[in-house]
């Protein structure tokens, strides 16, 4: 079989849940504060994947206004019971500190495209929920269990309870069926049944550099569960120079011809500081069964290249993407938190108009539309028409991770009304969320007319550019360190920052007058650069 190079879903695509229905494979991944919620990709051959739907796309399903950075939708689980698709997910309202607010929901649909139902509330006792359909027709719900008292652990184990789809609620007794190993931080559970055994696959070690997939089994769904002879069937924790780091939080699937594959999240750190600018991505590993235990081929360290049924076509991945807005917003784009899109943008007249709302980094209502950074090096460009009257109105081009980490080239105005270009940066500013001072010197521009804004990233170097109508592009500002747009610098470092780098367009009007900015197009152009680590 041909080799595919990991990851199979590059850029911010963590916590994969994989499913096969007939000859179709689907992977659901977390989206956190980005809207719509949950990404579902489709493949016929495990090599080529296409985004087909984001099912949490209306207010009755998801409203994340007020959710802090890296909260929102965590660890979806996608399953099929022979009749319809089921999706379970967490909407996290608070994660920092000892206490967490984690609400778990269940939705369903007759087809992957929908229509997806309104959610059924399940519980709030932890996060990373999963739904298992047993052979007798019963449905079982598992999630990690949190204990703010730490008696003895904050991640207390995996709790099991039956789900009654007719009643639309969890029913019957519940039990902590697995407390994890000494690696701790047990989460991300998935249940399976094979050859009379119930298997419980979990993540442990946290989502940074001690991450792992741990497998256990039992003859009874209620346990007790014995741990795999290897304990952790997949991990990079003891291999700091492996190409794929942070490996864990997995799910497995069987092909029609009986082969087994494990998908898992991973990170590809760059620079001496080991920063994952592309966030947590989805990789795949070939696996096999022996003595009713699952083993990863050449594991437990993940392989960079893996045999899969298909041959990947990378031409689309490396093609320049030029986005226009005649047909609405392209599926590559997302926005932050709100289901009420009419308050932050429109694509009337073939252009993208952002309505200035709250400041960049707001957890409630900011007008920011962006796409994932999926390459280590790239170019981005847009043209904006914006007429600010003072310094509290600004719109432009941003490389963005969260309120604590962004670079922003904005069209704004001085207090006297003179329009100017200003670079605002927030560089690892947690917990204060302050701009780096002093700001780079502004550049005065005419009070009327469109402005082309651009940036280039080459490895860790970010440079902004601008051009007035009919003129050549000019550099503006210094070279910035783009590697800080990463999990490791995202505010809470690798254990608490869970998304990835985005690039896109933003508009703020903190005067409250909703001044609009109009963008003609957006270009994202992948670039090969000598420091990129695709083949490490």
């Amino acid at each position: 079989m041909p080799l595919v190079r990991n990851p199979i879903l590059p850029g911010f695509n963590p916590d994969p849940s994989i499913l096969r229905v007939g000859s179709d494979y689907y992977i659901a991944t977390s989206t956190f504060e980005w809207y719509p919620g949950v990404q579902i990709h489709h493949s016929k051959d495990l090599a080529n994947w296409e985004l087909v739907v984001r099912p949490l796309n209306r207010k009755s399903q998801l409203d994340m206004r007020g959710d802090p950075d890296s909260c929102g939708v965590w660890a979806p689980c996608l399953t099929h019971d022979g009749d319809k698709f089921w999706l379970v997910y967490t909407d996290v309202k608070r994660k920092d500190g000892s206490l967490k607010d984690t609400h778990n929901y269940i939705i369903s649909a007759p087809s992957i495209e929908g229509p997806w139902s309104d959610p059924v509330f399940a519980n709030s006792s932890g996060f990373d929920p999963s739904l298992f359909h047993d052979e007798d027709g019963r449905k079982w719900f598992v999630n990690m269990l949190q204990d703010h008292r730490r008696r003895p652990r904050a991640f207390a184990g995996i709790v099991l309870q039956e789900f009654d789809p007719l009643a639309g609620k969890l029913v019957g007794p519940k039990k902590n069926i697995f407390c994890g190993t000494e690696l701790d931080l047990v989460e991300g559970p998935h249940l399976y049944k094979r050859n009379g055994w119930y298997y419980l696959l979990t993540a442990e070690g946290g989502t940074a550099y001690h991450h792992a997939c741990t497998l256990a089994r039992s003859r009874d769904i209620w346990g007790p569960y014995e741990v795999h002879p290897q304990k952790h069937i997949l991990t990079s924790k003891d291999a700091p120079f492996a190409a794929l780091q942070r490996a864990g939080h997995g799910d497995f699937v069987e092909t029609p011809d009986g082969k087994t594959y494990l998908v898992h999240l991973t990170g590809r750190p760059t620079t001496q500081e080991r920063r994952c600018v592309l966030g947590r991505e989805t990789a795949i590993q070939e696996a096999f069964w022996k003595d009713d235990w699952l083993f990863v081929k050449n594991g437990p360290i993940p392989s960079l290249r893996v045999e899969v049924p298909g041959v990947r076509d990378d031409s689309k991945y490396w093609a320049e993407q030029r986005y226009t807005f005649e047909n609405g917003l392209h599926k590559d784009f997302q926005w932050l938190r709100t289901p009420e899109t009419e308050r932050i943008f429109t694509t009337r007249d073939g252009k993208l108009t952002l309505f200035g709302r709250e400041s960049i980094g707001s957890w409630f209502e900011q007008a920011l539309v962006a796409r994932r950074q999926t390459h280590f090096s790239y170019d981005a460009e847009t043209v904006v028409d914006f007429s600010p009257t003072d310094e509290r109105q600004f719109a432009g081009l941003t490389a963005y991770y969260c309120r604590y980490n962004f670079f922003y080239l904005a069209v704004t105005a001085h207090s006297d009304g003179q329009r100017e270009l200003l670079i605002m940066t927030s560089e690892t500013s947690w917990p204060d969320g302050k701009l780096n001072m002093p700001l780079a010197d502004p550049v005065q521009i005419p009070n009327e007319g469109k402005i082309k804004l651009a940036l280039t990233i080459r490895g860790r170097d970010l440079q902004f550019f601008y051009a007035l109508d009919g003129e050549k592009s000019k550099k503006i500002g210094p070279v910035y360190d783009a590697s800080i747009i990463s999990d490791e610098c995202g505010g809470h470092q690798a254990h608490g920052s869970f998304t990835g780098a985005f690039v896109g367009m933003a508009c703020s009007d903190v005067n409250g007058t909703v001044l609009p900015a109009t963008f003609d197009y957006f270009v994202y152009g992948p670039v090969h650069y000598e420091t990129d680590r695709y083949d490490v």
Side-chain angles (χ1 to χ4, degrees):
M1 288 192 297
L3 291 171
V4 65
R5 183 181 63 200
N6 276 311
I8 54 172
L9 299 181
F12 160 48
N13 281 289
D15 311 324
S17 170
I18 192 167
L19 167 69
R20 179 177 64 83
V21 180
S23 60
D24 296 292
Y25 297 93
Y26 302 98
I27 290 179
T29 53
S30 301
T31 44
F32 294 86
E33 66 264 36
W34 290 91
Y35 211 97
V38 179
Q39 295 211 126
I40 299 179
H41 286 79
H42 169 258
S43 177
K44 287 284 191 179
D45 58 11
L46 297 176
N48 298 284
W49 295 86
E50 182 76 21
L51 178 65
V52 290
V53 66
R54 294 190 184 103
L56 305 180
N57 57 20
R58 60 183 186 269
K59 188 175 181 179
S60 62
Q61 295 172 319
L62 184 66
D63 188 341
M64 298 183 290
R65 284 173 288 192
D67 288 11
D69 293 323
S70 288
C71 288
V73 177
W74 287 16
C77 173
L78 180 67
T79 58
H80 195 274
D81 65 359
D83 179 43
K84 58 184 176 179
F85 291 91
W86 296 84
L87 183 72
V88 298
Y89 61 96
T90 309
D91 180 8
V92 178
K93 299 300 184 184
R94 175 189 177 185
K95 70 175 180 63
D96 291 339
S98 298
L99 296 165
K100 293 177 173 58
D101 294 303
T102 57
H103 308 310
N104 296 316
Y105 299 96
I106 304 171
I107 61 174
S108 60
S111 72
I112 201 69
E113 294 84 6
W116 288 89
S117 67
D118 281 345
V120 170
F121 173 73
N123 65 26
S124 300
S125 60
F127 49 86
D128 293 1
S130 183
L131 190 63
F132 167 64
H133 312 283
D134 210 342
E135 297 167 344
D136 61 4
R138 300 172 77 181
K139 300 182 186 302
W140 299 92
F141 190 92
V142 287
N143 59 270
M144 70 75 66
L145 190 64
Q146 52 196 10
D147 184 350
H148 56 277
R149 309 164 307 159
R150 295 180 179 265
R151 295 185 188 174
R153 295 173 171 177
F155 286 53
I158 305 301
V159 64
L160 171 73
Q161 192 172 10
E162 188 173 1
F163 172 65
D164 184 339
L166 296 179
K169 62 181 181 180
L170 301 181
V171 296
K174 57 185 177 182
K175 178 184 178 183
N176 187 342
I177 59 171
F178 184 65
C179 293
T181 72
E182 67 278 4
L183 189 57
D184 201 6
L185 304 177
V186 62
E187 58 185 344
H190 292 295
L191 273 171
Y192 318 84
K193 192 173 186 182
R194 183 181 185 273
N195 291 348
W197 289 99
Y198 289 95
Y199 292 90
L200 179 63
L201 182 66
T202 62
E204 288 193 286
T207 193
Y209 290 93
H210 289 88
H211 210 191
C213 289
T214 303
L215 187 65
R217 72 182 184 186
S218 173
R219 290 292 188 184
D220 190 323
I221 196 169
W222 293 102
Y225 283 83
E226 60 173 316
V227 176
H228 192 283
Q230 276 187 332
K231 195 172 295 185
H232 313 300
I233 63 170
L234 182 81
T235 185
S236 307
K237 65 184 180 68
D238 302 314
F241 298 109
L244 302 179
Q245 292 293 308
R246 304 175 65 178
H249 201 124
D251 192 10
F252 61 81
V253 69
E254 288 198 352
T255 66
D257 60 358
K259 287 187 177 294
T260 303
Y261 286 90
L262 176 81
V263 294
H264 62 95
L265 74 77
T266 191
R268 294 177 289 169
T270 64
T271 76
Q272 292 298 313
E273 293 88 355
R274 305 187 82 197
R275 293 173 176 171
C276 295
V277 294
L278 301 185
R280 299 175 304 153
E281 308 170 282
T282 289
I284 192 167
Q285 305 296 325
E286 189 176 354
F288 62 93
W289 292 93
K290 181 180 179 182
D291 299 326
D292 284 324
W293 283 114
L294 185 68
F295 292 82
V296 171
K297 184 179 179 180
N298 301 320
I301 300 170
S303 298
L304 180 62
R305 289 178 172 80
V306 176
E307 289 185 342
V308 297
V311 177
R312 184 159 64 193
D313 178 3
D314 273 336
S315 60
K316 185 175 180 181
Y317 175 69
W318 285 106
E320 179 183 272
Q321 300 296 318
R322 185 178 182 88
Y323 303 100
T324 57
F325 306 107
E326 293 89 353
N327 298 312
L329 198 64
H330 191 278
K331 65 182 179 181
D332 287 350
F333 290 101
Q334 288 184 273
W335 56 95
L336 287 162
R337 296 182 176 85
T338 180
E340 296 182 350
T341 57
E342 68 279 3
R343 289 183 55 83
I344 60 170
F345 72 83
T346 182
T347 54
R348 288 194 303 266
D349 303 320
K351 298 179 180 180
L352 175 65
T353 298
L354 299 182
F355 302 118
R357 294 291 179 181
E358 295 174 344
S359 57
I360 187 168
S362 167
W363 290 345
F364 290 86
E365 196 171 49
Q366 61 164 311
L368 188 155
V369 171
R371 59 150 288 163
R372 284 159 176 73
Q373 178 182 342
T374 50
H375 303 76
F376 293 105
S377 301
Y378 70 93
D379 298 333
E381 175 187 304
T382 190
V383 166
V384 61
D385 191 359
F386 186 57
S387 300
T389 58
D390 64 28
E391 66 272 25
R392 284 168 293 278
Q393 298 169 326
F394 40 91
L397 176 66
T398 182
Y400 184 88
Y401 187 96
C402 66
R403 71 161 49 172
Y404 308 109
N405 274 41
F406 61 81
F407 299 99
Y408 190 9
L409 173 57
V411 178
T412 184
H414 188 47
S415 54
D416 61 5
Q418 173 61 52
R419 203 164 65 144
E420 64 184 25
L421 291 173
L422 184 67
I423 298 175
M424 294 179 282
T425 71
S426 179
E427 304 171 44
T428 60
S429 67
W430 183 83
D432 298 322
K434 293 180 179 178
L435 296 177
N436 284 59
M437 296 290 182
L439 301 177
D441 291 337
V443 173
Q444 285 193 1
I445 56 175
N447 275 1
E448 299 294 332
K450 297 179 180 181
I451 308 292
K452 182 168 76 173
L453 307 177
L455 66 82
T456 64
I457 288 180
R458 301 293 185 270
R460 70 187 301 165
D461 294 340
L462 183 155
Q463 177 69 62
F464 282 114
F465 298 82
Y466 78 98
L468 302 177
D469 190 29
E471 298 184 3
K472 291 184 177 180
S473 292
K474 302 175 184 178
K475 291 182 180 179
I476 180 171
V479 175
Y480 293 100
D481 183 1
S483 73
I484 71 166
I485 308 295
S486 61
D487 292 348
E488 289 75 13
C489 303
H492 307 77
Q493 289 67 56
H495 276 291
S497 295
F498 303 137
T499 57
F502 280 70
V503 60
M505 301 151 284
C507 180
S508 294
D509 180 356
V510 294
N511 288 324
T513 59
V514 199
L515 187 70
T518 299
F519 297 83
D520 289 357
Y521 63 86
F522 188 84
V523 175
Y524 177 92
V527 172
H528 291 277
Y529 190 65
E530 58 188 8
T531 62
D532 298 345
R533 59 178 308 269
Y534 296 101
D535 293 305
V536 172

